[in-house]
């Protein structure tokens, strides 16, 4: 008999009537010939209410007691849903995370799942019962049996992990929106439903601020190949399928903590083009990449570092065979850009680096684990490899290095991350999962996200030598601060014989102050320059597997921003994502402009509860 895991979020179980409607739907699924495991959240805004209570008692509540408190919300729902099923004549039993045996690490309020015991669930399924499981919670397997929670929004993760452990046919996430949308409909009323999205795209979007799915849930779905669908609990509409490639066989032990890195990829056929000292004003990136797209040059990574004086540096990589064309475009456009700023004394300059390689680590498990990128940098440092350019996404960290260092770098990374045999030279156009044929073939961009909860940190003048990034991001990792969009400036200042560059990156705004303080101390100790914090930023990103090997996507995005006179402060890309940092007050406008520019807007508006 097919086994389905259904997860119902807070709004879907927000009242007695809604719980009864959920019970109806579960019954219907059973009558259609399926076994059903139901995972539920706390009713409505219960968890928020509990958090608020805790903070009325303590400004810094004990995390163990916090878990004790927050886990009660889901316990209310499981009992009521089970009763509602029994009222309909459907045998059902509610189980807490502990009763199921959802075993987690002992990290209160943010525990990761280690494994799930399936015996009891299977026994009840064999008795033809529906099992109603409390999401968001687990238990440590010590004698003490401590209650843990997985972090806010974690019941999606409980559901997908259960589906993986039970080898369910699929997992349905029921929510208050019709599925995954092209962007946040509260900010862009023309947002449209997506029929199908790859788990890689979804991971990027979920981590970039699209709130429908907990990123860790997507990570598990991808790692274990769990078919996942996000649907509305008010209708019978099909919703959005999240498609995963066939995964490599993977143990169910250490479910959420094993192997953060799946793959080490490299491409030795790259070249890097840098443009130094281009004016810092709206429209510059648009001109440059517009021209590049016109010449049909496909760029891979793009970065724009924070500005120095009135100018920026922009760098991008291309595959070596098209370097000549890229270089010609850059050289032709440099004087044009300069003439915009007649008063500028410094000249824009084009710098070419041939014989560079890109090495990347890839894996869904690096989300929220700052130690992974730090370990990559440390590994490269130990191998004596200098990093020329860093580009990050949620599921990948790429470093541009010297071609001559590539074999050594790849071997060291394989060992460090215990990733199988040395893989093939993966060139960008062939590696990522192909865009789905079923949905929106017209746009290579699947969705657009806005993150208003980031801050930007920059450290001036850090030495350009192996080990610097390792030290810097190692420190942040030690303090459990996750970093996004790491950018190393292209411009180099030689001070006392040591070449130095600026490094900029974004962090969650709530971590920014602590990060700045910590880095100021480190800067004093290691002789780095000033640590600059800017909290008034917004990050807009476009995501889509279809942008691989297709020139012009970046240009379209930058042009949309230029058209609205929005200045780009920082650019970072990965194969399936382009992110720009803009001023915070321009974030929403930027999101709307970009959503429209990619033709994602639809004509009927999607209703979402506030
Ligand atoms: N009730 C928990 C929360 O609000 C877990 C969840 O709803 O997914 O964060
Ligand atoms: Mg939720």
């Amino acid at each position: 008999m097919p086994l389905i895991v259904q997860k119902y979020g807070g709004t879907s179980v927000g009242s007695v009537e809604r719980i009864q409607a959920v019970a109806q739907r579960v019954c219907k699924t059973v009558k259609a010939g399926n076994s059903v495991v139901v995972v539920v959240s706390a009713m409505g805004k219960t968890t928020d209410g509990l958090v608020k209570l805790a903070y009325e008692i303590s400004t810094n509540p004990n995390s163990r007691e916090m878990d004790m408190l927050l886990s009660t919300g889901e316990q209310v729902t499981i009992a009521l849903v089970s009763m509602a099923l029994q009222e309909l004549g459907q045998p059902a039993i509610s189980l807490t995370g502990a009763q199921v045996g959802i075993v987690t690490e002992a990290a209160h309020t943010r525990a990761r799942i280690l494994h799930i015991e399936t015996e009891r669930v299977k026994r009840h399924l064999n008795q033809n019962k529906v099992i109603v499981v409390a999401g968001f919670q687990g238990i440590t397997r010590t004698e003490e049996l401590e209650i843990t929670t997985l972090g806010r929004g974690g019941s999606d993760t409980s559901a997908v992990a259960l589906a993986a452990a039970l080898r369910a046919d699929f997992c349905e996430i029921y929510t208050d929106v019709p599925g995954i949308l092209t962007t946040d409909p509260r900010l862009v009323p023309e947002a449209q439903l997506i029929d199908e999205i790859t788990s890689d795209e979804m991971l990027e979007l979920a981590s970039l601020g699209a709130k429908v799915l907990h990123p860790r849930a997507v990570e598990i779905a991808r790692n274990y190949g769990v078919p996942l669908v996000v649907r509305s609990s008010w209708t019978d509409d099909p919703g959005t399928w999240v498609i995963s490639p066939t995964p490599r066989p993977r143990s169910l032990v250490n479910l959420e903590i094993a192997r953060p890195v799946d793959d080490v990829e490299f491409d030795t056929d790259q070249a890097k083009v840098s443009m130094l000292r281009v004016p810092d004003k709206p429209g510059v990136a648009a001109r440059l990449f517009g021209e590049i797209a016109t010449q049909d040059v496909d760029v891979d990574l793009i970065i724009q570092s924070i500005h120095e004086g009135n100018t920026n540096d922009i760098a991008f990589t291309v595959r070596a065979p098209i370097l000549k064309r890229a270089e010609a475009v850059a050289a032709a456009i440099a004087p044009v850009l300069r003439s915009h700023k007649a008063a500028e004394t410094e000249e824009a300059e084009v710098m070419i680096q041939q014989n560079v390689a890109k090495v990347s680590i890839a894996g869904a498990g690096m989300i929220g684990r700052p130690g992974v990128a730090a370990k990559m940098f440390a590994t490269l440092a130990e191998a004596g490899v200098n990093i020329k350019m860093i580009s990050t996404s949620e599921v990948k960290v790429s470093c541009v290095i010297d071609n001559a260092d590539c074999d050594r770098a790849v071997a060291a990374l394989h060992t460090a991350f215990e990733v199988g045999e040395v893989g093939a030279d993966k060139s960008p156009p062939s590696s990522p999962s192909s865009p789905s044929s079923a949905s929106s073939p017209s746009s290579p961009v699947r969705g657009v996200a806005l993150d208003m909860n980031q801050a930007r940190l920059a450290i001036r003048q850090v030495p350009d030598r192996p080990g610097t990034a390792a030290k810097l991001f190692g420190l942040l990792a030690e303090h459990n601060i996750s970093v996004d969009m790491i950018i190393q400036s292209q411009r180099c200042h030689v001070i006392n014989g040591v070449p130095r560059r600026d490094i900029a990156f974004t962090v969650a705004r709530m971590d920014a102050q602590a990060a700045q303080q910590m880095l100021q101390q480190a800067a004093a100790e290691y002789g780095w320059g000033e640590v600059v914090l800017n909290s008034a930023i917004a990050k807009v990103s476009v995501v889509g597997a279809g942008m691989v090997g297709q020139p012009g996507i970046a240009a379209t995005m930058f042009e949309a921003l230029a058209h609205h006179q929005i200045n780009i402060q920082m650019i970072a890309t990965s194969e399936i994502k382009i992110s720009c940092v803009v001023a915070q007050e321009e974030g929403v406008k930027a999101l709307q402009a970009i959503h429209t520019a990619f033709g994602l807007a639809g004509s009927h508006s999607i209703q979402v509860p506030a």
Side-chain angles (χ1 to χ4, degrees):
M1 204 190 298
L3 172 62
I4 301 174
V5 174
Q6 294 187 330
K7 182 259 170 178
Y8 293 92
T11 9
S12 308
V13 292
S15 66
V16 166
E17 294 71 35
R18 287 180 180 181
I19 286 178
Q20 286 165 332
V22 164
Q24 296 280 3
R25 190 186 286 272
V26 174
C27 277
K28 220 169 87 189
T29 315
V30 173
K31 293 226 171 73
N34 303 291
S35 298
V36 183
V37 172
V38 179
V39 176
V40 288
S41 292
M43 291 173 69
K45 302 244 178 275
T46 302
T47 313
D48 290 337
L50 294 171
V51 171
K52 190 160 163 279
L53 275 177
Y55 281 93
E56 281 170 22
I57 301 266
S58 163
T59 50
N60 183 22
N62 175 285
S63 59
R64 177 190 183 274
E65 304 309 333
M66 203 65 179
D67 278 352
M68 190 62 88
L69 177 68
L70 297 195
S71 61
T72 61
E74 274 70 12
Q75 201 170 327
V76 171
T77 322
I78 52 173
L80 293 176
V81 170
S82 185
M83 287 174 197
L85 285 164
Q86 290 163 6
E87 282 302 308
L88 295 175
Q90 171 60 52
I93 181 169
S94 62
L95 296 176
T96 64
Q99 287 174 315
V100 170
I102 298 181
V103 180
T104 73
E105 19 167 58
H108 283 294
T109 74
R110 53 180 173 87
R112 285 184 178 254
I113 297 172
L114 298 178
H115 71 272
I116 299 183
E117 280 158 24
T118 52
E119 296 79 54
R120 182 157 183 197
V121 171
K122 283 184 179 151
R123 177 153 45 88
H124 293 310
L125 284 174
N126 286 337
Q127 298 159 345
N128 294 321
K129 286 183 184 161
V130 166
I131 294 111
V132 188
V133 179
F136 173 59
Q137 56 177 262
I139 193 101
T140 61
R141 191 37 54 98
T142 60
E143 292 89 81
E144 278 86 19
L145 298 176
E146 291 286 83
I147 294 174
T148 51
T149 63
L150 311 183
R152 296 302 306 274
S155 36
D156 293 343
T157 297
S158 309
V160 181
L162 261 168
L166 294 166
R167 302 186 197 284
D169 291 81
F170 55 92
C171 180
E172 296 180 316
I173 306 281
Y174 284 96
T175 179
D176 50 7
V177 290
I180 295 157
L181 307 180
T182 50
T183 193
D184 184 344
R186 279 167 288 242
L187 302 176
V188 185
E190 302 81 21
Q192 287 306 291
L193 183 67
I194 303 171
D195 306 331
E196 210 178 279
I197 186 166
T198 67
S199 52
D200 280 327
E201 292 171 320
M202 192 58 227
L203 263 176
E204 298 274 11
L205 280 176
S207 317
L208 288 167
K211 297 211 175 50
V212 268
L213 271 180
H214 204 228
R216 280 162 55 190
V218 187
E219 172 187 345
I220 299 169
R222 176 186 185 262
N223 286 348
Y224 293 94
V226 178
L228 191 61
V229 59
V230 180
R231 305 177 59 184
S232 162
S233 49
W234 322 132
T235 67
D236 282 325
D237 295 341
T240 307
W241 281 93
V242 181
I243 312 291
S244 298
T246 312
R248 299 190 184 169
R250 202 177 169 105
S251 158
L252 286 160
V253 175
N254 288 338
L255 194 133
E256 273 203 277
I257 64 164
R259 287 248 313 266
V261 170
D262 282 332
D263 232 336
V264 174
E265 296 168 7
F266 61 97
D267 179 5
T268 48
D269 209 14
Q270 295 242 330
K272 175 165 152 258
V273 181
S274 317
M275 292 191 67
L276 307 188
R277 293 184 285 275
V278 297
D280 178 34
K281 58 178 219 173
V284 170
R287 281 230 38 186
L288 174 61
F289 290 99
E291 190 55 33
I292 283 177
T294 310
Q295 302 298 322
D296 213 29
V297 172
D298 185 27
V299 295
D300 185 9
L301 305 178
I302 302 173
I303 62 171
Q304 178 193 293
S305 24
I306 50 155
H307 67 111
E308 254 184 87
N310 295 322
T311 62
N312 283 321
D313 300 338
I314 296 180
F316 56 92
T317 61
V318 293
R319 311 224 58 228
I322 53 172
L323 171 65
K324 278 276 160 286
R325 241 184 315 148
E327 185 181 355
V329 178
I333 204 153
V336 184
L337 292 177
R338 180 163 34 110
S339 69
H340 281 267
K341 266 229 164 221
E344 200 64 57
T345 47
E346 288 180 309
E347 290 192 1
E349 178 193 338
V350 180
M351 249 169 50
I352 304 294
Q353 268 180 305
Q354 276 174 289
N355 303 323
V356 295
K358 180 177 76 171
V359 285
S360 314
I361 54 170
M366 62 179 79
I367 298 171
R369 261 182 282 181
V372 178
K375 184 170 171 182
M376 177 183 198
F377 304 146
T379 306
L380 293 177
E382 270 160 42
V385 175
N386 197 22
I387 304 169
K388 298 176 179 299
M389 186 165 156
I390 298 171
S391 157
T392 55
S393 81
E394 297 305 324
V395 291
K396 192 174 260 196
V397 184
S398 301
C399 295
V400 173
I401 60 173
D402 257 333
N403 225 338
D405 292 337
C406 190
D407 288 349
R408 218 163 67 244
V410 171
L413 291 171
H414 271 115
T415 314
F417 291 106
E418 295 169 34
V419 182
E421 81 299 350
V422 176
D425 186 342
K426 276 199 189 165
S427 52
S430 59
S431 54
S433 39
S434 64
S436 103
S437 49
S439 65
S440 50
S442 52
S443 179
V445 168
R446 193 82 73 169
V448 188
L450 175 66
D451 189 344
M452 298 283 258
N453 294 313
Q454 299 247 320
R456 195 188 74 193
L457 276 157
I459 309 177
R460 302 281 186 192
Q461 289 151 13
V462 292
D464 180 26
R465 63 162 89 100
T468 307
K471 189 174 291 156
L472 176 58
F473 295 105
L475 276 172
L476 289 162
E478 266 168 43
H479 290 75
N480 209 23
I481 296 172
S482 286
V483 195
D484 188 28
M485 272 186 89
I486 304 171
I487 283 177
Q488 206 172 203
S489 75
Q490 299 306 299
R491 218 173 301 181
C492 195
H493 299 271
V494 179
I495 299 171
N496 296 333
V498 182
R500 290 167 181 269
R501 295 180 195 278
D502 301 343
I503 291 189
F505 50 89
T506 59
V507 297
R509 191 169 297 136
M510 62 178 193
D511 290 335
Q513 222 110 58
Q516 187 188 25
Q517 268 171 27
M518 193 259 295
L519 292 171
Q520 266 160 351
Q521 278 175 21
E525 189 176 330
Y526 301 118
W528 300 340
E530 200 190 342
V531 180
V532 192
L533 172 62
N534 180 357
S535 293
I537 61 156
K539 186 173 78 177
V540 271
S541 312
V542 300
V543 173
M547 70 175 71
V548 175
Q550 187 163 326
I553 308 301
T556 304
M557 180 175 185
F558 302 153
E559 269 151 23
L561 295 174
H563 189 69
H564 290 79
Q565 293 298 311
I566 297 171
N567 195 26
I568 304 172
Q569 300 182 5
M570 244 168 112
I571 301 170
T573 67
S574 75
E575 281 89 345
I576 65 165
K577 176 186 88 170
I578 306 168
S579 294
C580 294
V581 168
V582 300
Q584 183 160 34
E585 67 269 18
E586 296 185 317
V588 174
K589 193 167 73 170
L591 180 74
Q592 291 165 342
I594 292 168
H595 190 264
T596 309
F598 284 105
L600 296 173
S603 48
H604 75 281
S605 72
I606 287 168
Q607 295 308 312
V608 284

